[in-house]
């Protein structure tokens, strides 16, 4: 937990370590080791409190250590407030995630998933929502719906998260699943373009500028 890290700071200094990378300590359902985030600016009680994180950052700086944290912009938990609102088609959140109505078919009671993209955890990357009557895309677990980073409001919310943690004093970010941030909007099976698309580099450039401007 966070206090456990604080207790080892002198050890890190003595060992010659000068940067600590913290994996997700945010509010989570623990489907994927904390990478299914349900609130990006709350600390999960398993790890401690926000005061603990603030203490860690302050004491690390006193000892000349930098703190880098995981930034997870590709997806959230299905328990995130954003997804709840998006699944319910709440105004302003309709396009927060990658939704698809599916492909019409006469053989099933509902449309087929739009393509045959496969999840990292097995099975198709599309999950049917009975509430919205549409599929949402998930590159990883089905409890980790993909954010729609083509939606400007989503990027603005993620920018706020970066600024929140910069205000807390963190020194940098590791961008999780960075190669997976965008998918081909045509949803083609072959080639299945869903990695390292040009939009990814454009977005990273914007985040680089955000950090430079902040500094």
């Amino acid at each position: 937990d966070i206090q456990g890290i604080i207790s080892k700071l002198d050890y890190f200094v003595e060992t010659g370590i000068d940067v600590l990378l913290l994996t997700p300590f945010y509010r989570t359902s623990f489907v994927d080791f904390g990478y299914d985030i349900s609130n990006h600016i709350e600390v999960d009680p398993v790890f401690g409190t926000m005061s603990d994180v603030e203490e860690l950052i302050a004491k690390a700086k006193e000892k000349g250590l930098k703190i880098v944290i995981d930034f997870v912009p590709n997806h959230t938990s299905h328990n995130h407030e954003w997804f709840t609102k998006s699944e319910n088609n709440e105004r302003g959140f309709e396009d927060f995630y990658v939704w698809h109505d599916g492909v019409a078919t006469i053989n099933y009671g509902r449309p087929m998933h739009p393509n045959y993209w496969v999840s990292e955890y097995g099975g198709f990357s599309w999950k049917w929502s009975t509430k919205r009557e549409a599929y949402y895309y998930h590159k990883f677990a089905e409890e980790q719906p993909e954010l729609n980073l083509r939606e400007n409001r989503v990027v603005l919310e993620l920018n706020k998260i970066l600024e929140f943690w910069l205000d807390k004093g963190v020194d940098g970010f590791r961008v999780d699943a960075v190669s997976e941030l965008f998918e081909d909007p045509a949803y083609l099976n072959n080639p299945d373009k869903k990695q390292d698309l040009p939009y990814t580099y454009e977005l990273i450039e914007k985040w680089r500028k955000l950090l430079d401007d902040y500094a």
Side-chain angles (χ1 to χ4, degrees), residues 61-106:
K61 287 187 183 299
E62 290 174 4
K63 299 178 185 297
L65 295 168
K66 293 184 183 296
I67 299 291
V68 174
I69 65 174
D70 248 327
F71 175 53
V72 187
N74 182 64
H75 51 264
T76 69
S77 167
H78 67 311
N79 290 321
H80 199 293
E81 178 186 14
W82 297 345
F83 185 72
T84 300
K85 291 181 177 181
S86 188
E87 190 173 32
N88 289 319
N89 254 328
E90 188 168 321
R91 185 175 180 181
F93 290 88
E94 303 95 329
D95 298 322
F96 251 58
Y97 293 81
V98 180
W99 291 98
H100 197 289
D101 290 335
V103 179
T105 175
I106 61 174

Side-chain angles (χ1 to χ4, degrees), residues 119-191:
S119 163
E120 289 289 325
Y121 297 154
F124 293 124
S125 291
W126 298 95
K127 175 71 174 178
W128 179 257
S129 165
T130 54
K131 286 183 180 179
R132 180 152 170 166
E133 295 191 332
Y135 289 95
Y136 66 83
Y137 176 64
H138 58 93
K139 171 67 176 177
F140 300 98
E142 66 180 44
E143 295 89 351
Q144 293 171 286
E146 298 265 322
L147 286 165
N148 177 16
L149 295 175
R150 289 185 173 83
E151 177 69 23
N152 190 53
R153 266 197 73 185
V154 175
V155 176
L156 291 176
E157 289 298 322
L158 291 171
N159 290 351
K160 291 178 186 177
I161 291 165
L162 289 172
E163 291 169 351
F164 176 89
W165 290 110
L166 287 169
D167 287 344
K168 291 291 181 184
V170 304
D171 297 288
F173 303 89
R174 169 194 173 267
V175 185
D176 180 65
V178 67
S179 64
E180 316 289 345
L181 298 183
F182 289 91
E183 304 79 32
D184 183 353
Y187 303 113
L188 299 177
N189 276 311
N190 189 16

Side-chain angles (χ1 to χ4, degrees), residues 179-208:
S179 64
E180 316 289 345
L181 298 183
F182 289 91
E183 304 79 32
D184 183 353
Y187 303 113
L188 299 177
N189 276 311
N190 189 16
D192 53 348
K193 298 177 182 178
K194 53 184 187 293
Q195 284 187 318
D196 300 316
L197 298 187
Y199 317 101
T200 300
Y201 299 93
E202 295 168 9
L203 183 55
I204 293 299
E205 184 179 17
K206 291 177 182 177
W207 282 333
R208 175 73 268 171

